[in-house]
């Protein structure tokens, strides 16, 4: 086949099938622009491999199958993008809700260091006595776990467990103040 003849056959195929293929793609992707882009891409691929496909007996069937596959790939990509956007939106809304909750509990007098110490003290006092004692020795006084265990006549594992319990309870108790504390601590660095 001559190049001129291949070009004419391709042009005839393009002119005869483009609008039908676009309509076919649009039934999948719903957007005129997306459907047109898909069909254009299929024809570009067909043109790049024209020597192979111009001798093919079922050119139209091949083209429609290619449009269907590209449309499905387009829809899959859109679904993934939509899921990512929804995840980002959920994360943003959760962070926004946490900020809103923190601001709602914000008291005008809460900016003093004394108020922050009172909040921390109340949280510490909410711990069971032994748990509080282990937390204070470990985290505030900097004692090693094995030393705490020896002084209190308990196992190192018990010390680790009590520190974990204290951490979870303090985190839950101070959760509503977290954003405020982060903000206040950031002010100290400016």
């Amino acid at each position: 086949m001559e190049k001129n003849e291949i070009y004419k056959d391709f042009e005839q195929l393009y002119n005869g099938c483009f609008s039908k293929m676009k309509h076919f793609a649009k039934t999948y992707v719903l957007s005129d622009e997306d459907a047109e882009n898909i069909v254009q891409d299929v024809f570009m691929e067909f043109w790049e491999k024209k020597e192979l496909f111009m001798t093919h007996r079922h050119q139209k069937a091949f083209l429609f199958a290619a449009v269907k596959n590209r449309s499905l790939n387009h829809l899959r990509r859109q679904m993934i993008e939509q899921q990512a956007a929804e995840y980002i939106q959920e994360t943003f809304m959760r962070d926004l809700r946490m900020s809103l909750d923190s601001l709602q509990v914000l008291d005008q007098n809460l900016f003093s260091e004394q108020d922050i110490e009172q909040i921390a003290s109340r949280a510490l006092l909410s711990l069971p006595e032994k748990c509080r004692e282990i937390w204070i020795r470990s985290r505030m006084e900097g004692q090693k776990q094995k030393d705490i265990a020896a002084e209190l006549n308990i196992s190192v594992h018990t010390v680790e467990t009590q520190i974990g319990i204290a951490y979870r309870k303090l985190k839950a108790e101070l959760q509503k103040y977290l954003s405020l504390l982060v903000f206040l601590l950031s002010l100290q660095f400016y």
Side-chain angles (χ1 to χ4, degrees):
M1 240 183 190
E2 275 185 39
K3 283 190 178 192
N4 232 4
E5 194 176 322
I6 290 174
Y7 180 75
K8 284 181 184 178
D9 287 347
F10 179 82
E11 186 177 27
Q12 186 177 6
L13 184 64
Y14 181 87
N15 290 334
C17 293
F18 185 85
S19 62
K20 292 175 189 169
M21 290 173 62
K22 180 181 171 185
H23 179 72
F24 178 68
K26 192 171 181 309
T27 61
Y28 287 102
V29 297
L30 306 175
S31 158
D32 275 334
E33 185 179 338
D34 290 339
E36 191 168 313
N37 288 337
I38 287 168
V39 174
Q40 289 286 4
D41 289 346
V42 167
F43 271 110
M44 285 296 293
E45 183 181 340
F46 189 83
W47 178 252
E48 289 170 359
K49 299 175 183 177
K50 61 187 169 282
E51 285 79 20
L52 177 65
F53 293 118
M54 292 310 284
T55 58
H56 199 275
R57 291 177 50 180
H58 304 288
Q59 295 169 341
K60 290 179 184 176
F62 169 80
L63 290 172
F64 276 93
V67 167
K68 180 193 84 160
N69 290 334
R70 282 191 184 251
S71 297
L72 290 172
N73 288 340
H74 175 80
L75 292 174
R76 286 185 189 111
R77 193 170 42 255
Q78 276 188 324
M79 280 179 47
I80 290 169
E81 289 171 2
Q82 181 64 33
Q83 288 170 343
E86 288 172 4
Y87 174 76
I88 290 168
Q89 181 68 23
E90 286 174 19
T91 303
F92 173 76
M93 290 304 292
R94 187 183 64 238
D95 291 347
L96 189 61
R97 219 175 339 218
M98 190 170 89
S99 296
L100 177 64
D101 291 345
S102 293
L103 287 173
Q104 286 175 338
V105 298
L106 178 63
D107 181 85
Q108 292 300 326
N109 300 322
L110 202 58
F111 286 94
S112 75
E113 197 172 309
Q114 183 181 8
D115 291 332
I116 294 171
E117 287 177 14
Q118 286 177 354
I119 292 168
S121 292
R122 274 196 309 263
L124 274 174
L125 288 174
S126 72
L127 295 175
E129 188 177 333
K130 274 289 186 204
C131 188
R132 181 176 53 246
E133 180 182 0
I134 292 170
W135 176 265
I136 290 171
R137 286 176 178 230
S138 171
R139 297 299 188 243
M140 299 174 89
E141 296 173 2
Q143 261 188 303
K144 294 184 179 185
Q145 293 178 1
K146 66 179 182 176
D147 295 337
I148 297 169
E151 286 179 25
L152 298 178
N153 200 24
I154 56 176
S155 71
V156 173
H157 178 71
T158 301
V159 171
E160 291 171 353
T161 302
Q162 289 299 310
I163 290 171
I165 291 168
Y167 175 76
R168 284 189 297 280
K169 287 185 176 192
L170 289 172
K171 182 180 173 189
E173 187 73 27
L174 297 172
Q175 184 69 39
K176 61 185 176 185
Y177 299 106
L178 181 63
S179 296
L180 173 63
L181 291 174
V182 169
F183 171 73
L184 292 174
L185 289 173
S186 71
L187 290 177
Q188 294 177 355
F189 293 106
Y190 288 107

